[in-house]
Every structure is written in structure tokens, then in C-alpha cells.
Amino acid sequence: MTGSLSIAARAAYILRDNSTGLITKAAPALYPHQWSWDAAFNAIGLAAVDLPRARLELDSLFSGQWRNGLLPHIVFDPAADGYWPGPAQWECATLSEEAPSAPATSGIIDPPVHAIAVDRILAVARAAGGPEAERTEAWAAHLYPKLLAWHRFLARDRADKQTGLITLFHGWESGTDNSPRWDAPYAAVEVGPSLPSYVRKDKAHVANAGQRPTDREYDRYLWLVEEAKRASYDAGLLRQTGSFQVGDVLFTAIFARACDLLAKLAVHLRKANDAAELKDFAAEARAAVFCHVDEASGLAADVDLRTETWLRTETIAGFAPLIAGGMPLELRRRQVDMLLGQRWAGHPSFKYALPPSTSPCSSAYNPACYWRGPVWPVFTWLLTWALSRSSEPGAASALREASLAQLADETFAEYYHPVTGEPLGSLHQSWTAAAALDWLF
Ligand code: 9WN
């Protein structure tokens, strides 16, 4: 088999192997449940090989949606064990009337990439034509009210009135758990004496525990779950009591782009009022992202909402304006040049010219640890998706080629060491396989 064919075949095999028949596990051992933004990326990859499964992936995820529109960051597979904290720790249905009694879910959120997935699945189905295209159109119309409820939840419960940024009450909600972007707000989180004792299960599933967050960080992650439980997962209460409250530029940028696409779907479904509402959400979110670009560095900055401080760290989230799209040409050129330049993808020590999760020029850079330095292929995919839609096809294709060269090792790792190219974290990670499939489609 030629290189690309072999990568695609192996990626399709991994997505099949990680399937329970209903959901795609985020990873075979480390993450045996369905994660929200993973499911959306996985659905994009699945669209290339199996449209019915791509649709089922999102249907299964949305079966865990809460009555108030919240789409939980994990929908638990009742048959799976081995991930901690599990349903017995989250206790969502007991603590909140908004949560479904089944399936069991977590009570926090993930970045809203779902409308991006629906748009991509529709494009693939329309290009294929025939009955699958018709089925996919009907499916999208059926899913649409759930997506709308999810976006309305974010605009209503999570948009911060001062900054316009989406508020997070847990670093897990950003999807970039231990990124240095959250070091300062986490330093202010005091773990209470009532934190239940626990045994971490994640470290057993990676080659070296140094690739995962530290125990000190985990204490804080678990403490924030306790805080969320005490507030019955209610955003209004968490705004009063939460000891971690940040405005996330990356999440907000993804929301802006997803609102554009959901508005497009609303127009297609002849829902003019919804489309206008979604366009307003998009405009507000995009303006909030552009307002938080640090002039000196050219990177977007998150905000610690409790101290009203900008968090100026050199992490990949600083490229949120590229994800949001629609930025002034000058800012776009500056961000693209930086992304490909020596502080990022073009660093001379790197094996492949790919952007790491934290710049090697940052004092917080750790090339083997999770979101503190490694390259995440799924994030590269998101950048290529956004760049190719922002009149930057050259940058998009350079990143795609470099990432496919890296993925030729066929380990489909969760993340990679930028200097050695060593696969890190979980192997056979579903969203890494999905990214490869979409690139090769
Ligand atoms: C906590 C599943 C998820 C991803 C996140 C990634 C990691 C979980 C963990 O795995 O987070 O949600 O246990 O470390 O940081 O982005 O969605 O792949």
C-alpha cells in the first residue's frame, strides 16, 4: 500500500476498533467513554468512510444533552469502567433536575465544535448524492433544534457580560486541561479539606506518568468538580461561588465559527429568526475574541474573570482569531507568519514543522507533557480547517502535509513530542485517526 492509503486504512480500522456499536470511545483504554468534542471530530472522520456512523456518533452524544441545552463533556458508556471520575462521582441526575436520568453524563462542557461537524458531514453527503444525501439532510434537520438549544445555553448561561468571552468553571471545559494558560487561575484554587480521597486511573494507561497532569493539578481538577456539584452544576450559582472562572478566547472563537455554520443551516431550513439570532451570537463572540488580542505579542489572551486579569501566555489558544475567522487582513497575516515562524511551527529544534501546544520560547514549555508543549494532531486539523476557510490555503496545506508525515508512524497518538516526534499519551486515539481520514478524503 502507498503511504496515504496505508494511513487512511489504518485510521479507519482504529475508528472501527474503538467503536462500541453506538459510540466511538475517545481512546481504547485511557478514555473508554464518549467525549463531546472528540465525538464531533470523530464524526468528521467517520463521514469519509461511513456516513450512517457519523450521524449515529452525534445522535448518541446528543442523547446525553441536558434539558437546559447543556451538552456534557462526557457521555458515559454504562458497560465501560476504568476512567475516573466516573458517573458515581459526577452524580448529575441526583444533583440537577436539568440532567437526564440516562445516559449518565458529566456536568461540565467541552468546546462547541459540533456545528462544524454537522456542516462537514452535510458537505460529504451532498457530494456523494443519492439516498445517503437525503438521509443526512433529514438527520441534520432533526438534530438542528438540539444544536440550537446548545448554542442558546452557551449564549445565555456562559457568555460573560463584561468581556463577552465564554466563561469556564473548570480547565477540563477548555479541552486543554493543564495548559499554562490556566496556571495562574489554578494557583488561586484552594483545595478544601472535604476533597474525597481518590486513586488516579489515568497514569496506568500511559508509558510515563510525566506525560499526564501532576497530582497537584488533579487535586484541583477534582476540587472543582466538588464545587460544581455543590452548585448543582448551575452557572448562576457558580458565578458566585466558583474559585476558577475564566473567559476562554479559544472556546469563544470556536463558538463564533460554529454559530456562523449553524446560522447557515438555519437559513437552509428556512428559520430566518433563528439565523438572525445565531448571527448575533457569532458577531458578539468574534468581537470578544478580537478585543482580547494582545498588541505586543499578537496573540489572543484569556481572562481570569475573578481578578479581571489578562492571561498572556504563549499557548496555541493565542491563535483563537485564526479559528474565529473574519479578522482584519493585517492581524491575519501577523498570526499566520507567527504560527509558521520560529516561535512556533518553524522552531529549528522541531522534527516536523507543526505548531506545539505551548511555544518552545515560553518558560512553561515542557515538550513531553500533555498540553504544555506536545503537538496535538487534532488541533492541527482544526487550524487547517480554519485556515483553508480564511483564504490561507498555503498555510493549511503546509500543516496538513507535515502532520500526515508525522502520522505515517501509524501510532495515531494523542500527542507527539515536537523535537523527537515520539508518540505520547494514548495510542490509537480516535480523533487523531479522524483527523487523518478527513485530510486524506
Ligand atoms: C478530561 C478525551 C479528552 C479530551 C481533552 C483532553 C483529555 C480528559 C482527561 O482527554 O481530557 O476531560 O482525562 O485528561 O485534554 O481535550 O477531550 O480525549
Side-chain angles (χ1 to χ4, degrees), residues 137-155:
E137 294 284 357
W139 165 82
H142 184 71
L143 191 65
Y144 167 79
K146 301 179 187 185
L147 281 161
L148 181 63
W150 167 221
H151 283 223
R152 281 182 172 154
F153 164 83
L154 290 171

Side-chain angles (χ1 to χ4, degrees), residues 35-399:
W35 262 257
S36 168
W37 75 325
D38 297 59
F41 289 118
N42 293 341
I44 290 171
L46 284 168
V49 286
D50 190 342
L51 276 165
R53 246 193 89 196
R55 299 191 297 259
L56 178 65
E57 190 67 33
L58 288 176
D59 286 342
S60 306
L61 179 74
F62 274 86
S63 74
Q65 185 170 33
W66 291 25
R67 290 177 193 92
N68 59 359
L70 181 152
L71 190 61
H73 101 299
I74 302 175
V75 176
F76 289 104
D77 174 4
D81 196 10
Y83 183 80
W84 198 92
Q89 284 75 43
W90 289 95
E91 294 184 284
C92 292
T94 313
L95 295 170
S96 171
E97 288 181 353
E98 305 292 343
S101 50
T105 74
S106 72
I108 60 171
I109 56 177
D110 248 357
V113 286
H114 314 88
I116 297 176
V118 172
D119 184 71
R120 184 80 187 116
I121 293 166
L122 272 171
V124 171
R126 284 170 187 161
E132 276 306 327
E134 276 175 39
R135 278 186 209 117
T136 306
E137 294 284 357
W139 165 82
H142 184 71
L143 191 65
Y144 167 79
K146 301 179 187 185
L147 281 161
L148 181 63
W150 167 221
H151 283 223
R152 281 182 172 154
F153 164 83
L154 290 171
R156 183 190 65 231
D157 281 24
R158 294 302 191 99
D160 174 57
K161 293 214 167 37
Q162 298 295 321
T163 62
L165 296 173
I166 298 291
T167 308
L168 307 187
F169 299 108
H170 198 301
W172 279 343
E173 298 197 307
S174 71
T176 63
D177 316 0
N178 74 340
S179 167
R181 55 200 293 233
W182 311 132
D183 284 356
Y186 267 127
V189 172
E190 283 189 31
V191 176
S194 53
L195 179 70
S197 61
Y198 65 94
V199 178
R200 288 177 63 174
K201 293 189 176 172
D202 59 309
K203 291 197 280 192
H205 298 300
V206 292
N208 177 339
Q211 295 168 13
R212 294 283 303 169
T214 62
D215 290 349
R216 192 174 183 280
E217 284 166 332
Y218 249 77
D219 280 352
R220 275 146 192 81
Y221 300 165
L222 274 304
W223 178 247
L224 294 186
V225 173
E226 289 304 307
E227 281 188 356
K229 287 168 73 171
R230 284 174 197 190
S232 304
Y233 299 108
D234 177 80
L237 280 174
L238 277 168
R239 276 190 200 281
Q240 294 165 34
T241 59
S243 61
F244 179 100
Q245 298 190 40
V246 296
D248 179 329
V249 277
L250 177 61
F251 196 118
T252 309
I254 291 172
F255 183 52
R257 207 65 185 253
C259 282
D260 290 341
L261 295 175
L262 197 54
K264 190 173 93 178
L265 181 57
V267 170
H268 177 68
L269 297 172
R270 302 183 195 285
K271 309 221 180 253
N273 292 344
D274 293 357
E277 185 184 347
L278 287 160
K279 283 178 190 165
D280 283 350
F281 292 169
E284 281 161 26
R286 189 165 279 119
V289 172
F290 294 161
C291 276
H292 289 90
V293 176
D294 177 54
E295 189 42 45
S297 68
L299 292 171
D302 302 298
V303 177
D304 187 336
L305 298 173
R306 296 184 79 232
T307 57
E308 297 182 3
T309 320
W310 281 33
L311 301 165
R312 293 180 171 83
T313 49
E314 276 188 283
T315 75
I316 195 77
F319 294 98
L322 282 182
I323 306 284
M327 79 185 97
L329 181 62
E330 204 184 319
L331 173 60
R332 191 177 91 209
R333 288 306 328 159
R334 188 177 176 195
Q335 282 231 318
V336 172
D337 288 348
M338 196 166 25
L339 182 72
L340 302 180
Q342 295 214 346
R343 293 189 83 81
W344 289 92
H347 193 270
S349 74
F350 285 2
K351 180 157 183 190
Y352 299 100
L354 291 167
S357 43
T358 299
S359 166
C361 301
S362 159
S363 57
Y365 171 68
N366 177 347
C369 181
Y370 214 37
W371 290 99
R372 302 184 78 84
V375 170
W376 287 68
V378 74
F379 203 91
T380 305
W381 182 90
L382 186 60
L383 283 168
T384 62
W385 178 88
L387 287 165
S388 60
R389 279 155 188 79
S390 299
S391 312
E392 297 287 352
S397 100
L399 294 181

